[in-house]
């Protein structure tokens, strides 16, 4: 979908304990930032047809954790 639709979905999934602070799409890359009760989460994902790769960084209590993801769509869910 477009940026407006993606932002609306991200705001809905953020729930009541997080606020969407940033959401943008540039080319094939989607990035967002959430401020939650006790954490700040930043994520960036770049899509390549049926695959994507990205990172998510969570900052909580003075500590950072970074997760790197590479994924590929295998097919429809059963």
């Amino acid at each position: 979908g477009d940026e407006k639709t993606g932002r609306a979905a991200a705001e809905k999934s953020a729930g009541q304990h997080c606020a969407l602070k940033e959401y943008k799409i540039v080319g094939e890359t989607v990035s967002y930032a959430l401020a939650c009760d006790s954490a700040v989460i930043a994520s960036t994902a770049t899509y390549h047809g049926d695959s994507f790769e990205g990172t998510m960084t969570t900052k909580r209590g003075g500590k950072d954790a970074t997760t790197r993801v590479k994924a590929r769509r295998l097919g429809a869910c059963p």
Side-chain angles (χ1 to χ4, degrees), residues 30-68:
V30 177
S31 60
Y32 67 87
L34 296 171
C36 301
D37 291 341
S38 62
V40 174
I41 302 165
S43 177
T44 301
T46 302
Y47 294 84
H48 312 282
D50 66 350
S51 67
F52 79 92
E53 56 188 273
T55 60
M56 181 173 64
T57 302
T58 303
K59 297 181 181 198
R60 178 179 294 164
K63 296 182 180 181
D64 294 358
T66 299
T67 303
R68 289 174 178 67

Side-chain angles (χ1 to χ4, degrees), residues 14 16 23 26 39 45-46 51 53 61 69 72:
Q16 55 182 307
Y23 185 91
V26 177
T46 302
S51 67
E53 56 188 273
V69 177
R72 179 173 60 93

